[in-house]
Amino acid sequence: MTEIIDRNFAGEGIYRENILDHYTHPRNFGKLDKFNAEHREFNPLCGDETTVQIKVENNVIEDIKFHGKGCAISMAASSMLLTELKGQKIETIKNITKEHVFELLSIPISPVRVKCALLCLEAVRRIHKKYEGEIVEEVNKKICL
């Protein structure tokens, strides 16, 4: 984690502390040895990238992890979202909205940071579609230059 954080940017009091905690100590960060599906998302505007891997058994998210790099908002949103999804039914992903992710963060998200905050949500939505068979595996979905 190399981002220099302006401690005034991220809201007030406990909300700012929560984001900084999830950024410096992200939950569910790493790689799974065995998983059912994975998806990588990249934000070319700022360089944030995340890959989410999911292990599903009996339609329950038994384990879910992410790895990559990103700003405090991106990393905190990933940590918070995956913590919430772990142990839930896979169908839960369909009901997660961008507003819910913003609520998890508990701070106002500027238009410039929206893609950062929603990077992980996009990845889990794609994983859900792959898992449900709605999307054929994509090869090199996005080319990063």
Side-chain angles (χ1 to χ4, degrees), residues 4-12 16-17 20 24:
I4 297 172
I5 299 171
D6 174 358
R7 295 190 177 267
N8 295 318
F9 95 100
E12 295 297 323
R16 178 176 59 202
E17 291 173 19
L20 293 175
T24 57

Side-chain angles (χ1 to χ4, degrees), residues 104-144:
L104 288 173
L105 291 166
S106 300
I107 62 165
I109 303 299
S110 69
V112 173
R113 296 288 206 168
V114 167
K115 177 95 173 152
C116 302
L118 300 178
L119 201 62
C120 186
L121 176 60
E122 183 60 28
V124 296
R125 284 178 173 169
R126 294 284 183 158
I127 284 173
H128 180 260
K129 288 178 181 180
K130 288 177 185 180
Y131 183 80
E132 295 293 320
E134 295 172 14
I135 294 180
V136 175
E137 279 290 329
E138 299 174 20
V139 177
N140 295 326
K141 180 180 153 269
K142 295 181 181 176
I143 298 173
C144 304

